[in-house]
């Protein structure tokens, strides 16, 4: 795998963040003579689960396109589709999630959402196309109307902002119906931000407590050094900003080591994954080809997929998992179940897992007029000089339109 491709992406950015953090921590800090009233803005997007809406599945490529959250995560939008007159007439919450243990303050929630009635499918609605009084997104008691449409598919996400105050550490966000008329709803987080205004000492203490608690977790030596230096700085607004950055870097390192300790990554999340081509990249929860032996691959839902309509082919690029803030030079063995499909029936080629050519080393099969190759492939990976472990699939001159990945395992050498 051409690692230079990856270093132009998130791994390099994370390395630069670390160097920046170290520089800031080493800089002299002016000690505030008083306890001033300050205002801070916190990006808490990472506290919202991309898969936490209680939905039955993710909207596929026929529905809303992929979205990328402010903190860089990618996922298909969560969806609920219902198909009876009772469902059309129903009101109340459609999807929601509750986030707890939040700092109190003023919150700005940005959500992608859609609300539709799908005509000519055996049920009825008196919805006025474009109505703004049927569906809304909400954050606690605050609401923002969502445009309701008569449509059988959607190619554009509406983006809606809701503002509310949190006074008890709890925020519930979601999408709901004020009146009947729609049967298909989608939602995804865009960003979650909190603004706090209080004396410096009051805002500093919980941040300091969090940083000191993190020191008990496994992280890279560089992350721990940065965190300790930030904790030791005399308290000021600048030092507080340094501490927040050091905490973020430490959490990234802790998360990476927790994934390694778990032995692999979930099949139903795209956190830490990046795809550099422009084709559909999401979690598949609905395909049946690999279920119950319909094809021999064992690619049972859910799995990660990169797909474009046949005949394709997929665009060239890289699909990789990046675990940041590890110790450079550490070595790991990684394996994954991979299936490559040509839905047009052409022999597949052009997919590589490390040095392994999937088409040549995998098991070929045919199913329902499609040709595929599958197998569990292994590569040895070393944490790079920026502290990132990159686990990836390379697509070069492909003849296929669909690749699926599942059961990614990681073990220290």
């Amino acid at each position: 795998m051409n690692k230079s491709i990856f270093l132009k992406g998130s791994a390099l950015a994370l390395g630069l963040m670390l160097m920046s953090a170290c520089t800031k921590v080493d800089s002299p800090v002016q000690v505030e003579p008083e306890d001033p009233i300050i205002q801070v803005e916190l990006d808490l997007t990472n506290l919202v689960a991309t898969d936490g809406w209680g939905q039955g599945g993710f909207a596929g490529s026929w529905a809303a396109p992929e979205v990328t959250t402010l903190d860089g995560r990618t996922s298909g939008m969560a969806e609920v589709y219902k198909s009876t007159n009772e469902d059309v007439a129903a009101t109340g919450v459609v999807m929601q999630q509750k986030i707890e243990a939040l700092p109190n303050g003023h919150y700005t929630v940005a959500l992608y959402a859609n609300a539709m009635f799908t005509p000519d499918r055996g049920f009825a609605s008196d919805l006025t196309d474009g109505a703004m009084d049927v569906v809304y997104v909400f954050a606690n008691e605050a609401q923002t109307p969502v445009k309701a449409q008569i449509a059988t598919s959607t190619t554009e996400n509406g983006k809606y902002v809701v503002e509310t105050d949190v006074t008890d550490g709890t925020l519930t966000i979601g999408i709901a119906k004020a009146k009947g008329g729609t049967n298909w709803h989608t939602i995804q987080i865009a960003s979650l931000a909190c603004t706090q205004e209080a004396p410096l000492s009051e805002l500093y203490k919980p941040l300091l407590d969090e940083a000191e608690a993190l020191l008990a977790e496994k992280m890279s030596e560089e992350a721990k050094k940065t965190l300790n230096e930030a904790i030791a700085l005399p308290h000021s607004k600048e030092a507080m900003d340094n501490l927040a950055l050091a905490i973020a870097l430490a959490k990234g390192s802790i998360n990476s080591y927790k994934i390694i300790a778990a032995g692999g990554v979930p099949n139903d999340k795209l956190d830490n994954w990046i795809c550099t081509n422009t084709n559909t990249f999401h979690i598949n929860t609905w395909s049946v080809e690999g279920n119950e032996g319909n094809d021999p691959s064992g690619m049972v839902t859910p799995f990660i997929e990169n797909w474009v309509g046949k005949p394709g082919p997929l665009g060239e690029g890289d699909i990789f998992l990046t675990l940041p803030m590890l110790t450079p030079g550490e070595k790991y063995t990684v394996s994954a179940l991979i299936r490559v499909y040509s839905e047009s029936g052409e022999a597949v080629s052009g997919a590589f897992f490390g040095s392994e050519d999937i088409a040549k080393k995998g098991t070929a099969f045919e199913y329902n007029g499609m040709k595929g190759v599958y197998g569990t492939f292994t590569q040895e990976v070393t944490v790079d000089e920026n502290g990132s472990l990159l686990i990836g699939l390379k697509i070069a001159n492909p003849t296929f339109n669909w690749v699926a990945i599942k059961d990614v395992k990681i073990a220290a050498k």
Side-chain angles (χ1 to χ4, degrees), residues 302-326:
F303 55 81
I304 297 165
E305 73 173 11
N306 186 206
W307 177 89
V308 68
K310 68 177 182 181
L314 278 174
E316 292 193 343
D318 299 283
I319 301 170
F320 62 99
L321 176 80
T322 177
L323 298 182
M325 304 304 299
L326 298 171

Side-chain angles (χ1 to χ4, degrees), residues 82-91 117-118 121-126 177 180-183:
K82 297 293 185 68
S83 57
T84 69
N85 285 322
E86 289 77 13
D87 295 322
V88 173
T91 59
F117 170 71
T118 54
R121 295 188 178 180
F123 43 93
S125 172
D126 59 0
K177 294 173 65 176
T182 53
N183 66 293

Side-chain angles (χ1 to χ4, degrees), residues 231-267:
I231 289 172
L233 288 171
H235 297 183
S236 70
K237 176 63 169 62
E238 183 183 352
M240 185 175 174
D241 292 341
N242 276 286
L243 184 57
L245 179 56
I247 286 172
L249 294 171
K251 284 182 175 179
S253 184
I254 291 166
N255 181 63
S256 293
Y257 279 109
K258 283 184 175 179
I259 289 173
I260 291 169
V265 301
N267 295 313

